[in-house]
Amino acid sequence: AGGGRLLDKICKWYYNAAGFNKYGLMRDDTLHEDDDVKEALKRLPEHLYNERVFRIKRALDLSLKHQILPKDQWVKYEEDHHYLEPYLKEVIRERQEREAWNKK
């Protein structure tokens, strides 16, 4: 149990050290947009996609102004949900299935 708490503390520290949360971004907002991610983004429900676009535009605006959000508006480690992950896993599974099929 003690090791789990230590790991959780390290994860939280790393999350905050990365800095993207200070711009209001979530982890999935920072993924490199390869073909799999682009396809997963197409499958997002409209409201999730619009929320992502808003966060990215706000982060770009803040970055250009050399500002960050007030601390009470930072995305907290506990609040960051991997909204793109289920769609991305499905896209990767389908691609791997297609690749395996094409090898036959």
Side-chain angles (χ1 to χ4, degrees), residues 6 9 11 14 17 28 32 36 38 40-41 45 48-49 52 55-56 63-65 80-82 85-86 92 99 101:
L6 178 61
K9 286 183 180 185
C11 288
Y14 184 77
D28 285 358
H32 173 71
D36 290 338
K38 287 177 184 175
L41 288 170
L48 288 178
Y49 182 79
R52 172 189 167 88
R55 287 190 302 271
I56 292 172
S63 179
L64 287 170
K65 295 175 181 176
D80 190 335
H81 61 283
H82 305 304
E85 192 172 337
I92 292 170
E99 289 169 355
W101 179 262

Side-chain angles (χ1 to χ4, degrees), residues 11-22:
C11 288
K12 286 180 184 179
W13 173 84
Y14 184 77
Y15 182 85
N16 286 314
F20 57 81
N21 64 321
K22 297 172 184 167

Side-chain angles (χ1 to χ4, degrees), residues 41-50 87:
L41 288 170
K42 291 178 186 175
R43 298 180 184 194
L44 274 178
E46 187 176 1
H47 75 281
L48 288 178
Y49 182 79
N50 290 339
Y87 303 95

